[in-house]
Amino acid sequence: MSLLEIHALKKVYSTRFGTNEVTALRNINFSVEEGEYVAVMGESGSGKTTLLNILAALDKPTGGTVLLNGKDMTKIPENDISSFRRDHLGFVFQDFNLLDTFTLEDNIYLPLVLAGMPHQKMHRRLEPIAKLLGITDLLKKYPYEVSGGQKQRAAVARALITSPDMILADEPTAALDSRSSEELLRLFSEVNNQGQTIIMVTHSTATASKAKRVLFIKDGEVYHQIYRGTDTNDQLYHKITQTLTVMMTGGDCR
């Protein structure tokens, strides 16, 4: 069984008085194996953000199932959803979502504090992660004292520290300069090579070309997907560009 299985996923939004309906997702079907690194691409309004919100258990679908390790996330009671999200999912946001009144260390510890973990155990978890991400010397600093790239590395550490089943990243390089983006993507690849599953939504072809699979969403459906195989980043970049061109001109890659 795959780590994540999506079957016949549908999401319909109704207007305030229910007079109109907008279909964000029509019939999404795909699976993700443990240890995969998947980029999700699509134009604005394609449904990719809605898909990410459902995978993050922030929204519920109108129909279909989302199985994480065989557990249907759509059936989790509202009272249990926060703890499920904290225990099984890690999040990396484009705007970092760090609290300025907390040090980087305390920001990283936050999900473990909410879970009631003893401080000594939290510290043991953080040490290897901070070393991997190169932020050991920054942990006592506050978010306003470090660069955007350093903030994002702290956000990645916060996502990793709960040992999640998968990390969900929403445009993680959007607020970073090119050098910081490259560094973050190098870290993502390193973390993925250690077995961490990553699903990343991005508009950037360069960012997507670092993933191992690229899933294209159009009009609320899976339009096409590309597997890296033995391709280099440049070769995958070229394939992504070709697919986006066909997709935007109304062609069909399927």
Side-chain angles (χ1 to χ4, degrees), residues 96-161:
F96 320 127
N97 277 24
L98 299 175
L99 300 173
D100 278 338
T101 53
F102 284 17
T103 64
L104 296 186
E105 182 178 47
D106 288 338
N107 269 284
I108 296 165
Y109 281 156
L110 190 56
L112 300 184
V113 171
L114 295 173
M117 183 177 289
H119 186 272
Q120 191 172 14
K121 188 174 181 181
M122 290 193 293
H123 181 70
R124 287 199 301 269
R125 278 205 186 186
L126 179 56
E127 277 187 313
I129 294 172
K131 184 177 180 180
L132 171 67
L133 299 179
I135 58 172
T136 302
D137 295 337
L138 302 174
L139 293 176
K140 299 301 182 184
K141 292 184 177 292
Y142 289 86
Y144 54 82
E145 296 179 308
V146 300
S147 68
Q150 290 167 334
K151 288 179 188 177
Q152 196 61 298
R153 278 186 272 166
V156 173
R158 182 183 56 196
L160 287 172
I161 202 163

Side-chain angles (χ1 to χ4, degrees), residues 7-217:
H7 299 292
L9 196 65
K10 182 179 182 181
K11 179 64 180 182
V12 179
Y13 293 101
S14 297
T15 56
R16 183 176 178 183
F17 298 106
T19 53
N20 291 307
E21 292 186 340
V22 176
T23 301
L25 299 177
R26 298 178 187 279
N27 183 31
I28 299 284
N29 297 276
F30 69 94
S31 61
V32 176
E33 302 298 321
E34 187 173 354
E36 275 204 272
Y37 181 1
V38 181
V40 179
M41 300 193 77
E43 296 177 288
S44 295
S46 62
K48 63 184 185 301
T49 300
T50 299
L51 174 62
L52 189 72
N53 286 340
I54 291 173
L55 296 183
L58 296 170
D59 198 359
K60 286 189 178 292
T62 306
T65 57
V66 179
L67 303 178
L68 182 61
N69 276 325
K71 185 178 181 66
D72 191 348
M73 293 169 58
T74 68
K75 300 292 194 297
I76 299 172
E78 204 63 40
N79 290 342
D80 300 332
I81 200 70
S82 293
S83 58
F84 177 87
R85 196 184 295 126
R86 184 181 64 235
D87 294 341
H88 297 278
L89 305 172
F91 302 94
V92 180
F93 305 95
Q94 67 182 66
D95 56 357
F96 320 127
N97 277 24
L98 299 175
L99 300 173
D100 278 338
T101 53
F102 284 17
T103 64
L104 296 186
E105 182 178 47
D106 288 338
N107 269 284
I108 296 165
Y109 281 156
L110 190 56
L112 300 184
V113 171
L114 295 173
M117 183 177 289
H119 186 272
Q120 191 172 14
K121 188 174 181 181
M122 290 193 293
H123 181 70
R124 287 199 301 269
R125 278 205 186 186
L126 179 56
E127 277 187 313
I129 294 172
K131 184 177 180 180
L132 171 67
L133 299 179
I135 58 172
T136 302
D137 295 337
L138 302 174
L139 293 176
K140 299 301 182 184
K141 292 184 177 292
Y142 289 86
Y144 54 82
E145 296 179 308
V146 300
S147 68
Q150 290 167 334
K151 288 179 188 177
Q152 196 61 298
R153 278 186 272 166
V156 173
R158 182 183 56 196
L160 287 172
I161 202 163
T162 60
S163 302
D165 294 316
M166 61 183 179
I167 285 181
L168 301 171
D170 181 16
E171 300 284 0
T173 61
L176 302 178
D177 58 36
S178 57
R179 182 175 178 179
S180 296
S181 294
E182 283 295 321
E183 176 63 15
L184 177 67
L185 294 172
R186 183 191 67 78
L187 292 170
F188 266 23
S189 293
E190 192 167 341
V191 167
N192 173 249
N193 288 336
Q194 294 185 4
Q196 178 65 61
T197 307
I198 301 173
I199 300 177
M200 171 179 66
V201 165
T202 182
H203 280 97
S204 168
T205 302
T207 297
S209 68
K210 304 300 193 295
K212 292 180 179 175
R213 175 162 54 126
V214 185
L215 193 73
F216 299 87
I217 305 292

